Amino acid sequence: MSPHVAVAQRDHVRLEWRTPYPVLARARVVAWTCFCRATVYELCESAGQAYIRRTIQSDSGHEVHESSIRPINETRAIWTGLLSGRAR
C-alpha cells in the first residue's frame, strides 16, 4: 500500500514546480503516493540525481509538474518532508 500525503503544515516549505523536462528521461520511479487522491507524487531517480513528479488527476486529463533536479539524498529529504506535510 502506498502512503498518503499528510495535510500541509502551516509553516511548510513551498516547492517550485516546473513543466517536465527530458533531462532524466530514463529516471525510474522508486516511491509514490496512493493513487486514490487527485494529486499523486512520485520520487524519480537516475544517475545520482533525483526529482519529484506531481500529477494532478482530473476528468479533463492529467497535469504533470516536476521539482528541480537535485542529488538523491537532498531529494529524499524533500520527499520525507512532502509525506509529512512539511513541504508542498
Side-chain angles (χ1 to χ4, degrees), residues 33-55:
T33 61
C34 187
F35 286 89
C36 72
R37 304 267 172 97
T39 303
V40 177
Y41 297 93
E42 298 170 306
L43 175 59
C44 305
E45 298 179 355
S46 179
Q49 301 291 308
Y51 61 93
I52 298 172
R53 179 182 301 136
R54 176 182 72 179
T55 303

Side-chain angles (χ1 to χ4, degrees), residues 22-86:
V23 176
L24 296 179
R26 302 189 92 171
R28 65 187 167 103
V29 178
V30 297
W32 53 89
T33 61
C34 187
F35 286 89
C36 72
R37 304 267 172 97
T39 303
V40 177
Y41 297 93
E42 298 170 306
L43 175 59
C44 305
E45 298 179 355
S46 179
Q49 301 291 308
Y51 61 93
I52 298 172
R53 179 182 301 136
R54 176 182 72 179
T55 303
I56 301 171
Q57 307 173 94
S58 68
D59 292 336
S60 60
H62 301 330
E63 185 178 330
V64 180
H65 294 99
E66 295 173 353
S67 69
S68 59
I69 298 171
R70 299 171 186 249
I72 288 175
N73 289 340
E74 283 183 37
T75 306
R76 286 181 181 169
I78 294 168
W79 177 255
T80 300
L82 180 79
L83 293 178
S84 66
R86 294 188 320 259

